[in-house]
Amino acid sequence: MSGTKRVYGLNEKNYFKFFGIEEKHGLSVRSLTTHYKKILMILGKDNSFHGRDRQSFAKRAFETLADPISRARYILEIKNHENDFKDGARPDDMIYSNQLRNQLNEQTTVEDVDAFIEDLKEQTQFIKDQIEQSIDTYHNYKTASGLLNRFYEISEIHQSAKIKRLQIQEGIKHVVFNR
């Protein structure tokens, strides 16, 4: 905002209001970083307990809003929407997760696991885009919550895939038995 003085809500407890930005999922992290640095310059002059507390709050707010998944969870929280993702899992989410786990079990080479991991990365990016659209465009927080659950499930499977890749590289054989 060149030539305009930004008003920060330094006494606000809402992260978006604290930074003086619009409450939405699809925000510019670059712009957020600029605001964060300006706030740190303002707060850096205050060495009192209250000033250090606000600096700590600014850091926590920035870290939350900079990460798209943490930002989505925060938005669901301030909108008073259920965000206990395991309790909110739908049957189709569980079926999908089990299908992915079965696909991972069928992978027996490093190349197969790497291709599987790349597919998971594409899926998580698609999910992040859908979360943003659910929150910003449709204000459908229930769908966003379900997508977050799916994101976390895929993240767990991704970790399992990385472990399996290391095991294969170390010479541990994984075999698939036909049923």
Side-chain angles (χ1 to χ4, degrees):
M1 297 186 75
S2 72
T4 310
K5 185 171 180 166
R6 165 83 51 190
V7 177
Y8 297 109
L10 298 180
N11 293 320
E12 287 286 341
K13 295 299 176 191
N14 178 304
Y15 294 167
F16 292 100
K17 291 177 182 176
F18 181 82
F19 285 110
I21 59 177
E22 187 178 351
E23 196 172 284
K24 65 179 187 174
H25 188 270
L27 58 87
S28 164
V29 176
R30 185 176 186 183
S31 173
L32 178 66
T33 303
T34 302
H35 295 306
Y36 177 60
K37 288 178 181 178
K38 288 180 182 178
I39 286 174
L40 286 182
M41 285 177 47
I42 294 168
L43 296 176
K45 299 171 188 170
D46 186 358
N47 284 330
S48 69
F49 176 78
H50 184 65
R52 288 190 306 272
D53 187 47
R54 289 196 307 183
Q55 289 173 3
S56 175
F57 181 82
K59 181 180 181 198
R60 190 170 56 251
F62 174 75
E63 289 172 350
T64 299
L65 296 181
D67 175 57
I69 297 302
S70 296
R71 184 180 332 126
R73 287 187 72 165
Y74 179 71
I75 290 171
L76 291 174
E77 182 181 310
I78 62 176
K79 296 295 183 181
N80 295 321
H81 195 277
E82 175 68 37
N83 64 5
D84 187 359
F85 307 106
K86 293 291 183 184
D87 289 344
R90 298 185 331 233
D92 59 323
D93 288 329
M94 290 186 266
I95 291 169
Y96 182 71
S97 296
N98 283 332
Q99 289 171 341
L100 287 176
R101 284 187 181 86
N102 289 336
Q103 287 176 12
L104 174 59
N105 288 336
E106 294 171 2
Q107 310 307 314
T108 57
T109 67
V110 171
E111 294 78 19
D112 291 343
V113 174
D114 284 342
F116 181 77
I117 288 172
E118 283 305 311
D119 186 45
L120 291 179
K121 287 179 181 178
E122 289 175 17
Q123 290 180 46
T124 54
Q125 185 56 51
F126 177 76
I127 290 171
K128 287 178 186 179
D129 294 342
Q130 292 300 305
I131 290 170
E132 180 178 328
Q133 192 173 33
S134 295
I135 291 173
D136 290 348
T137 305
Y138 301 114
H139 305 287
N140 187 337
Y141 305 113
K142 184 175 183 175
T143 297
S145 181
L147 288 165
L148 277 171
N149 179 58
R150 191 169 277 198
F151 175 85
Y152 285 119
E153 288 292 326
I154 291 174
S155 294
E156 286 178 18
I157 294 167
H158 181 250
Q159 291 303 317
S160 297
K162 288 173 25 179
I163 291 168
K164 185 171 184 173
R165 178 180 48 192
L166 285 173
Q167 290 174 340
I168 293 171
Q169 289 172 333
E170 292 173 353
I172 297 173
K173 299 276 187 211
H174 290 266
V175 292
V176 177
F177 295 101
N178 292 333
R179 296 175 192 190

